[in-house]
Amino acid sequence: MTSDAAAGAEDQWYEDGDEPNAVSSLGAVEPRIEPVIPANFPHSLEIPKDRVRLLDYRSALDAQGGQPEEVAFSARVWAQVSLPYKDPGEVPFWVRRNGDVTLRVQPAAITDRNGNDAVAYPFGILPRHIMTWMATEAVRTKNQELILGDTMQDFMEKLQIEKGGNSRRRLANQMERVFGSRLSVEGLVIGARGTGYGQAKEYFQITESTQLWFNEKDEIGGEGQPGLWDSKIVLSKRFFDSIIERPVPIDPAALRALGSKPLTFDIYVWVGYRLYGIEYPTRMSWEDLHKQFGSQTKRLRDFRSSFADAIRDISIIMPGLRYQLEPEYFVLYPGPTPIEQTSKRRQVPQNRSGGRSRARLHAVETPDDAGSDTEQSGEPAAGE
């Protein structure tokens, strides 16, 4: 190799494996153009943990063919009305309305270890997990008596909620509030063939009796410290019957993916319930939905924004969910249910002239038992 050749090799300006710049038709070497990246540009884009949780659930669901691995249940009343999101405080009763259905909750009377008496409402996400567990166990065992376990950790594992000292104390407190509350449900009853109407009311405790064994930290048993006996509850006969008569199937993994937002929890159960019955695009006014879900959200526009955020999260984990957010209405379209139905779905009426179903907006739906002697609004929804 000549000295000129050696010099040329040492003067190689590109790295091995990297092609040199191409030569233009004019014979000049075209300059290499490097992208300009701002100094403050983030090196990585972080996805919020709650969104990652939703995407992970959706990926797992798709891998399972769109059907969940396990099924839980909710009492039908919680697909129509809901419990408080925040503590209502010292009020005699708490009210939620959905169309012709009205729920009134009377608080539990509880006594702490120091002998102080107080009234307390169940509120927030924990009562919803407790209610779901009770309904699921009632359907599974067909028994009013439900065993919680001999430690708080056992029960938290059954609820599949985060463990921790503060969580255990909050759960123990909410359990007393749930088990001691009294409910009244009022609904419109239509007579045979529209011959009259009236109001039907039911009053019932959630539990008939409870046996909760606490340790010195006000926890059921304790980690590694079982109680003397199993802690257990006995559901009231009326509440148990309301669960068994027509439970609403839900995916517990979906509830966990949605996190600790009680409004999102309630909307997920409600949307899944509604999809079992609608045949046409159905619109519901924001005013009616606010009465059903609004709780302590005073301004309608704030509720509408919260509802929109919740339904967008739900749409990530519920394939096939179709809806529309209009200025005055929320529109829900027929689609697949979160849990595959075991009974044949009612067929959507066909437009004989075109052979296609007509996408009409229905404010009122025909009940399943329209041909019975007495029609009761067992499945009303906001806007109906």
Side-chain angles (χ1 to χ4, degrees):
M1 177 180 297
T2 65
S3 58
D4 290 342
E10 293 175 356
D11 195 38
Q12 181 175 328
W13 53 268
Y14 60 90
E15 295 181 356
D16 293 338
D18 185 18
E19 294 294 334
N21 290 327
V23 177
S24 71
S25 59
L26 300 177
V29 176
E30 295 179 352
R32 180 186 296 271
I33 301 176
E34 299 290 349
V36 178
I37 301 177
N40 62 348
F41 189 81
H43 294 288
S44 62
L45 296 177
E46 295 185 1
I47 301 176
K49 290 183 179 180
D50 56 349
R51 184 57 56 90
V52 171
R53 190 169 55 241
L54 295 172
L55 294 173
D56 286 345
Y57 167 85
R58 177 62 180 271
S59 178
L61 186 67
D62 291 342
Q64 295 156 197
Q67 288 301 312
E69 290 185 338
E70 53 183 330
V71 177
F73 294 92
S74 172
R76 186 156 52 106
V77 65
W78 306 129
Q80 299 171 294
V81 286
S82 60
L83 290 171
Y85 300 132
K86 300 178 182 178
D87 192 346
E90 296 183 1
V91 294
F93 54 86
W94 187 85
V95 182
R96 284 289 90 188
R97 289 187 173 88
N98 176 6
D100 294 323
V101 173
T102 299
L103 169 73
R104 289 181 175 86
V105 181
Q106 292 179 307
I110 62 175
T111 304
D112 62 23
R113 292 177 58 191
N114 298 322
N116 299 318
D117 296 324
V119 293
Y121 286 91
F123 67 91
I125 194 65
L126 290 178
R128 288 159 170 81
H129 284 297
I130 294 170
M131 290 287 190
T132 300
W133 175 81
M134 290 193 296
T136 303
E137 285 295 290
V139 172
R140 184 181 68 84
T141 65
K142 301 296 188 292
N143 197 325
Q144 287 177 249
E145 183 177 288
L146 309 179
I147 304 299
L148 279 69
D150 58 6
T151 70
M152 181 63 81
Q153 182 172 342
D154 288 344
F155 188 51
M156 294 179 79
E157 288 178 355
K158 291 179 179 181
L159 297 183
Q160 297 187 8
I161 62 176
E162 182 181 354
K163 303 179 183 65
N166 187 49
S167 296
R168 289 198 294 268
R169 286 187 292 273
R170 287 176 53 237
L171 179 57
N173 179 261
Q174 289 295 336
M175 288 164 61
E176 290 192 276
R177 292 166 180 257
V178 168
F179 300 153
S181 295
R182 182 176 176 82
L183 309 179
S184 68
V185 179
E186 175 183 316
L188 177 68
V189 180
I190 306 298
R193 299 174 181 83
T195 55
Y197 68 93
Q199 295 288 337
K201 296 183 180 181
E202 291 185 286
Y203 304 89
F204 52 89
Q205 290 279 135
I206 292 176
T207 60
E208 188 176 285
S209 64
T210 64
Q211 179 175 288
L212 306 178
W213 297 98
F214 294 90
N215 64 14
E216 66 278 3
K217 297 181 180 179
D218 284 338
E219 301 170 0
I220 295 180
E223 190 168 352
Q225 299 177 352
L228 298 176
W229 293 276
D230 273 338
S231 291
K232 62 184 179 181
I233 60 174
V234 178
L235 299 180
S236 70
K237 181 65 165 60
R238 187 64 198 95
F239 187 56
F240 174 77
D241 289 343
S242 74
I243 295 171
I244 298 299
E245 284 170 6
R246 198 169 183 181
V248 179
I250 54 179
D251 181 1
L255 295 178
R256 294 192 295 272
L258 291 172
S260 58
K261 301 174 183 177
L263 174 62
T264 308
F265 185 111
D266 289 344
I267 295 174
Y268 169 80
V269 175
W270 171 74
V271 166
Y273 169 73
R274 290 305 311 272
L275 286 174
Y276 282 98
I278 66 170
E279 297 176 346
Y280 302 97
T282 304
R283 64 181 184 180
M284 293 143 275
S285 72
W286 291 116
E287 288 83 359
D288 287 335
L289 290 173
H290 186 231
K291 292 177 183 177
Q292 180 180 350
F293 296 109
S295 193
Q296 280 109 343
T297 305
K298 294 183 179 180
R299 297 192 304 181
L300 181 61
R301 65 179 183 181
D302 292 338
F303 165 74
R304 187 167 53 193
S305 177
S306 298
F307 188 99
D309 290 341
I311 201 69
R312 290 187 187 104
D313 284 349
I314 292 169
S315 68
I316 295 175
I317 66 171
M318 191 180 289
L321 176 62
R322 295 190 301 134
Y323 65 90
Q324 189 170 348
L325 303 173
E326 296 183 351
E328 301 296 330
Y329 297 94
F330 169 74
V331 183
L332 181 64
Y333 291 83
T337 56
I339 310 296
E340 187 175 3
Q341 300 181 79
T342 56
S343 58
K344 185 177 180 181
R345 184 180 180 129
R346 290 176 292 170
Q347 297 296 316
V348 177
Q350 298 294 311
N351 183 343
R352 293 182 180 180
S353 61
R356 293 179 297 179
S357 60
R358 292 172 288 180
R360 294 183 291 149
L361 290 176
H362 276 217
V364 179
E365 297 175 16
T366 303
D368 291 334
D369 56 352
S372 62
D373 291 337
T374 302
E375 296 176 6
Q376 184 168 344
S377 66
E379 297 182 16
E384 295 190 343

